[in-house]
Each structure stands twice: as structure tokens, then as C-alpha cells.
Amino acid sequence: MKIDFHSHVIPPSFVAAVEKGPARLKARIVGSGSDRMVVHDQGYAYPLFPEFVSVDAKIAAMDRKGIDISVISPAPPTFTYWAERDLTVEVTRLVNDGVAEMVSARPERLRGMGILPMQHPDAAVAELERIVETHGFRAVEIGTSIEGVKLTDERFTPVLRRAAELGVFILAHPYYIGNKAGLEDYYLTNLIGNPLETTLMVADLMFSGTLDRLPDLKIGLAHGGGVAPYQIGRLVHGHKVRSETRAKTATSPLDLLRRFYFDSVVFEPQALAYLARLVGAERVFLGTDAPFDMGDEDPLKTLADAPGLTGTERAQIAGQTSLQLLGEAE
């Protein structure tokens, strides 16, 4: 079984809402047909590929890549963390119900992942409970920070705790809309900025003691965990020699790193092999980041080319980890 746990959609209902009220949603649809694009007021623009909005196009892409099941999640620009309560609740429900509708069209090939109105934690808990009960979702996608506020802020603890209680998997994904200082050129906002956002979140969850306080939290990292797995030795060393890093946790950063799950979107097979050896193949799941151009178009080849992995480890990454996270493992 080959399962893609990092695959994006933009429900048609959300696109229609943007077309109807661009000022309200701070985005607009430009162009027509195959040339349509989504343009956000903050400056981020991207093509509205058919695979975002069409179940048939998503399935065709899966077939081309050899994927049996995709866990579809809303593209991060559908987060409305900037919005006031009523609007973000309305849009979040619209998006989640749209994902559920897409899943219902091909339930044998698709699973759903929701989003939450994180800036209003009580509403986020309510929406989490709703999509679990109503749609049977076993995963949610949230930003690595919420409009600049760290996930370790105490206001978000009830959301993280409720997800842990419900056994819901969290995919933490960088929330990238506009340019960031120092990263404006060469698309570095994504190439470096997104992995950096994930790494900052990982270090903060580690050193703040949040992971110690929430031992049942299941949280996954997009893009292979950013830089964290490849500089974990530096964090471990810092934890030994710097008192600041030990102020709130005595747990080794390496042990805490192995609390996370990681997608396979690293592109370099040797990096994927290293990641699996470092954290265990049972903590790594297949991902594509489709249909963004920064996605892995041939994830099974990346996995096949990863040196030194056993057949059991490859099967774990290809699908077993995802089945376990979905509660569907035999």
C-alpha cells in the first residue's frame, strides 16, 4: 500500500467564496481556464492547478505516481489566521466540508485532513471535535506558527491537548503567504524560509517542555522536518553546555526529535535514508506536497533510491506509518 500523507487540495467551495468576496478573503482569482491563479493580498500567487480542485485530476496524478491512497489536506493559504472569529469559523467549516465532499467522491482512494481556526482556540477545539465526529477525520493541518505566535503559547495548549486526547494526528506546515526579510530573492522564502519555520517550531516545542507535558501528542513535520534532523547534534550539544536550553526540560533533544513524525519530501535519497536511520522508519511517511511545484513528482523513486533501507523499512515509509496514523493498520 502506497499512501501519500502530504497532498494538497483547495475545495471548489473555497474558490467560489474567493471569487464572490475577494476583499473579504484578502485574495482573488485571476485569469481563466488553465491559466487561473490565486493571488493573495500579501503578495503570494500560485497557479490553480486542476489537481487542487478536481478529484478526477487528483486521482489521475496519484495513478501516475503509483499512489494508492492520498490523505488530502487544504493548501496552507486557505488558513485564515488573520481573520476575525465569525469569518474564520465560517471559512474553516467551508474548507473542511469541501474536503469531506471530495473524499466522499472517491472514499477508496482518499482520506481527509482538516484545518482549524487556531487564533480562536475555543472555536478550534469545537471544529476539531466536529470534523472528527461528522467527517471521521483523523488528522488536521496547522501552521508552524499562528500569525507569528508560537504554538507553545499557552493559549494553544487546549487545542493540542484535545487533539492528543482524540488521537488526532497534527501535520505542522509552514504558513507561507508573502516575502520575509532577507529571503526576498531567489524564492528563498520557500527554499529556506519554510524549512526554517519548521525548525524553529521544533526547537521551541522541545526546549519549552511542551512535548514533555503532552506525551500523547502526535505531530508530523512537512518537508522532512526542515533542518532539525540534520543539525540535531548541535541541539544536543547545546542542551549539554547551555543552561538556557535546560531551563524547562531535562529531556535530550534527540529523544524529543524522535517524538515527531516526518514526511519524505526531502528529494535527496541519501537524506531520506539518514532520516529513517535517525528517527526510525516507523516515524517517516510518504509525501508529495502535490500539486505545488516544490512537490516530489516521483516519491516512490526517492524511496527506492534511498540507500541501505530494508524492505521492511521501505514498506513502513511507503504506507504502514500512514495506516497507523489513520488508525487503519491491521
Side-chain angles (χ1 to χ4, degrees), residues 38 54 60 161 170 173 176-177 230 244 251 270-273 298 315 325:
V38 183
S54 166
R161 182 180 295 116
I170 294 173
H173 198 295
Y176 163 41
I177 291 293
Y230 318 99
E244 302 96 323
T251 309
Q270 292 190 65
L272 180 58
D298 199 348
L325 292 172

Side-chain angles (χ1 to χ4, degrees), residues 246-261:
R246 299 190 302 274
K248 297 181 180 179
T249 180
T251 309
S252 166
L254 180 56
D255 292 336
L256 293 174
L257 186 72
R258 290 169 173 157
R259 285 276 314 278
F260 292 97
Y261 293 83

Side-chain angles (χ1 to χ4, degrees), residues 183-205:
L183 300 176
E184 297 90 346
D185 298 331
Y186 316 117
Y187 201 53
L188 296 184
T189 302
N190 191 322
L191 300 184
I192 291 177
N194 277 2
L196 177 61
E197 290 290 329
T198 297
T199 304
L200 291 172
M201 181 202 71
V202 167
D204 195 49
L205 286 169

Side-chain angles (χ1 to χ4, degrees), residues 13 80 86-100 115-117 123 126-127 130-131 134-135:
S13 55
T80 49
D86 288 348
L87 178 58
T88 193
V89 168
E90 174 191 337
V91 173
T92 299
R93 288 178 66 104
L94 178 75
V95 170
N96 288 339
D97 291 348
V99 170
I115 58 174
L116 302 174
E127 180 63 7
R130 185 187 77 88
I131 60 178
T134 303
H135 300 314

Side-chain angles (χ1 to χ4, degrees), residues 37-95:
M37 295 189 68
V38 183
V39 180
H40 292 264
D41 289 359
Q42 296 95 328
Y44 183 38
Y46 51 93
L48 193 57
F49 297 120
E51 190 181 339
F52 274 130
V53 297
S54 166
V55 170
D56 289 343
K58 176 65 74 177
I59 298 298
M62 291 165 57
D63 290 342
R64 185 177 71 249
K65 298 171 189 176
I67 300 296
D68 298 306
I69 293 174
S70 285
V71 185
I72 54 174
S73 58
T78 63
F79 300 161
T80 49
Y81 294 157
W82 48 265
E84 49 83 19
R85 183 188 183 93
D86 288 348
L87 178 58
T88 193
V89 168
E90 174 191 337
V91 173
T92 299
R93 288 178 66 104
L94 178 75
V95 170

Side-chain angles (χ1 to χ4, degrees), residues 23-46:
R24 189 167 179 249
L25 292 181
K26 296 187 178 182
R28 64 190 187 278
I29 310 297
V30 301
S32 60
S34 61
D35 295 325
R36 285 198 304 172
M37 295 189 68
V38 183
V39 180
H40 292 264
D41 289 359
Q42 296 95 328
Y44 183 38
Y46 51 93

